[in-house]
């Protein structure tokens, strides 16, 4: 199992990217962990993972296909210890909607 | 729990070490008599019926869609529902306690060694052997199992049995295709309009793919081509009432399933994407139910491995046609005097020539391509 890490100092990451400092701390933490799951499920490089914007969709992330999306859902379930409703996952094809859904299930 | 005994899966086919439980034929806690049909299982050759060997109240311990080892308990029969439930609960508790429970099974050292040598779990025998398991019990169990096959020629060595799931899929395809006269026809389809529609969904955070668009277009095209949703049976032609379209989904172990999108002709792209994603998740979770895989009139198989130029698929059991969708490629086309790079796929329809001919099949593909190449609502 690959572990996710920042390949460059936090200060070098653009503010609208995955380590976005303007996000609330809880959201930022969830975003980083979602990024880790995406790196595993979509087989992204470190650079590709850091470049994931908070508003990223399958249009902006390489390899985010419909099959990879299901694998991402399974990785999120394993990582966060949550279960998604199968009928909901087609509408979770953006980083922001995933972060919101994960945080809602963790409450 | 006096009077409760396990109902063990019999060896219904000598070539199988396990079978697929297709359906229970009796309700939970039904009162059964000796000789009653209790369930149906799928072997590598056919669907078989399992009959009850004694009377009583039947408690079920296996779910439809799971694989059952020969000799494994699928339920228990006893004097009352409470008694069989208590018996099954005790068995589950013992099974959950893991290696310690298995070590508690009484067996002679020679029996343990022989069982280990042949990969037999001792708890399989513990269901049938009263008291200590002896070497002779293991040998008797081995004799009842399928014998090792002889090599077909002197140049090959045995590399193990056919994995049960792959064997069952192959048997099902062999059974269905042996009744068909199969041939195929290809047609290329430009993807500009499909890409534009997919981008609308993806940009809005809704998953959508070429497979989903293909299912939608096929479902809307099929009603005008009834021979592709018909089958020949007993000298007559039967046509499916509903446009339920299956697609091929592959789990992490490489097992292929064909979940069905019900009423696909009445769904929009988002509805089909929702149904496909949910079914694929259940396949990957090993939670797909047998009824989700039944009743489709047609199947689509999309092989997206880059470089795949043509997918000649085989119709599933109970169907006469299937559409293979290749990986996406690009080609140069001359448009208004300029060379333009155009994304496209090759669609391959495999069909039963007993029901329609090449012109009919090609006309279907032309209608399908026309639908996919125009802007999708």
């Amino acid at each position: 199992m690959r572990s996710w890490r920042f390949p460059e100092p936090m200060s070098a990451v653009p503010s609208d990217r995955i380590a976005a400092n303007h996000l609330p701390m809880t959201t930022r933490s969830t975003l980083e962990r979602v990024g880790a799951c995406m790196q595993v499920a979509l087989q992204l490089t470190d650079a590709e993972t850091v470049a994931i914007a908070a508003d990223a969709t399958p249009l902006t992330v390489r390899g985010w296909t419909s099959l990879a999306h299901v694998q991402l859902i399974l990785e999120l379930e394993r990582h966060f210890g949550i279960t998604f409703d199968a009928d909901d996952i087609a509408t979770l094809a953006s980083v922001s909607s995933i972060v919101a859904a994960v945080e809602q299930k963790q409450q | 729990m006096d009077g409760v005994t396990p109902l063990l899966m019999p060896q219904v086919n000598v070539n199988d070490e396990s079978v697929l439980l297709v359906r229970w034929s009796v309700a939970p806690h039904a009162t059964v008599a000796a000789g009653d049909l209790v369930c149906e299982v799928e072997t590598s050759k056919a669907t078989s019926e399992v009959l009850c060997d004694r009377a009583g109240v039947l408690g079920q311990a296996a779910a439809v869609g799971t694989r059952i080892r020969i000799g494994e308990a699928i339920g228990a029969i006893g004097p009352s529902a409470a008694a069989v439930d208590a018996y099954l609960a005790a068995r589950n508790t013992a099974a959950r306690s893991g290696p310690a429970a298995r070590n508690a099974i009484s067996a002679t050292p020679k029996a343990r060694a022989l069982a280990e040598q042949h990969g037999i779990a001792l708890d399989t025998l513990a269901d049938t052997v009263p008291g200590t398991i002896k070497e002779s019990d293991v040998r008797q169990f081995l004799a009842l199992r399928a014998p090792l096959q002889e090599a077909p020629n002197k140049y090959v060595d045995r590399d193990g049995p056919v994995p049960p799931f792959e064997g069952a899929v192959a048997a099902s395809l062999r059974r269905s295709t042996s009744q068909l006269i199969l041939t195929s026809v290809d047609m290329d389809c430009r993807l500009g309009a499909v890409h534009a529609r997919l981008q609308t969904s993806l940009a809005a955070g809704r998953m959508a793919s070429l497979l989903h668009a293909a299912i939608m277009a096929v479902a809307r095209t099929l009603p005008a081509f009834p021979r592709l949703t018909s089958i020949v049976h007993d000298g007559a032609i039967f046509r499916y009432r509903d446009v339920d379209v299956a697609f091929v989904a592959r789990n992490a172990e490489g097992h292929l399933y064909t979940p069905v999108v019900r009423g696909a002709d009445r769904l929009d792209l988002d509805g089909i994407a929702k149904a496909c994603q949910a079914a694929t998740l259940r396949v990957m979770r090993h939670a797909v139910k047998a009824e989700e895989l039944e009743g489709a009139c047609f199947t689509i198989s999309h092989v997206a491995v880059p470089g795949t130029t043509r997918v000649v698929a085989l119709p599933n059991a109970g169907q006469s046609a299937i559409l293979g969708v290749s990986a996406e490629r690009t080609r140069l086309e001359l448009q208004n005097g300029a060379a333009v790079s155009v994304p496209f796929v090759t669609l391959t329809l495999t069909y039963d020539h007993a029901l329609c001919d090449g012109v009919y099949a090609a006309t279907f593909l032309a209608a399908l391509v026309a639908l996919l190449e125009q802007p999708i609502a």
Side-chain angles (χ1 to χ4, degrees), chain B residues 157-224:
Chain B
D157 293 321
R158 191 175 191 275
D159 200 21
V162 174
F165 189 92
E166 284 83 342
V169 171
S172 175
L173 282 174
R174 194 175 294 122
R175 196 165 57 247
S176 63
T177 56
S178 67
Q179 306 298 317
L180 309 178
I181 305 168
L182 293 176
T183 186
S184 62
V185 61
D186 294 342
M187 199 167 287
D188 288 346
C189 175
R190 297 181 188 88
L191 294 176
V194 170
H195 282 175
R197 178 59 184 87
L198 296 183
Q199 286 183 5
T200 302
S201 284
L202 295 174
R206 300 191 305 274
M207 182 50 71
S209 72
L210 170 59
L211 172 67
H212 307 150
I215 291 173
M216 184 176 75
V218 161
R220 294 178 182 187
T221 307
L222 277 174

Side-chain angles (χ1 to χ4, degrees), chain A residues 72-91:
Chain A
L72 171 58
I73 294 295
L74 292 170
E75 181 63 21
L76 290 164
E77 291 183 339
R78 187 198 63 77
H79 183 94
F80 289 99
I82 57 178
T83 303
F84 289 100
D85 185 332
D87 287 335
D88 292 341
I89 69 168
T91 57

Side-chain angles (χ1 to χ4, degrees), chain A residues 57-59 64-67 69-71 73-74 77 82-94 97, chain B residues 198-200 202-209 211-212 250 270 273-282 284-285:
Chain A
T57 69
L59 282 181
W64 196 347
T65 63
S66 58
L67 179 59
H69 185 61
V70 175
Q71 290 164 336
I73 294 295
L74 292 170
E77 291 183 339
I82 57 178
T83 303
F84 289 100
D85 185 332
D87 287 335
D88 292 341
I89 69 168
T91 57
L92 293 177
S94 69
S97 63
Chain B
L198 296 183
Q199 286 183 5
T200 302
L202 295 174
R206 300 191 305 274
M207 182 50 71
S209 72
L211 172 67
H212 307 150
R250 189 172 185 266
D270 289 339
K274 175 183 172 182
C276 289
Q277 290 275 280
T280 304
L281 182 61
R282 286 191 288 274
M284 303 288 270
R285 281 175 174 163

Side-chain angles (χ1 to χ4, degrees), chain A residues 5 16-17 26 32 43 46 51-52 59 61 83 95 103:
Chain A
R5 61 182 171 77
D16 62 341
R17 300 296 165 83
T26 54
E32 290 172 359
Q43 301 183 339
D46 289 341
I52 294 173
L59 282 181
V61 180
T83 303
V95 171
E103 294 192 334

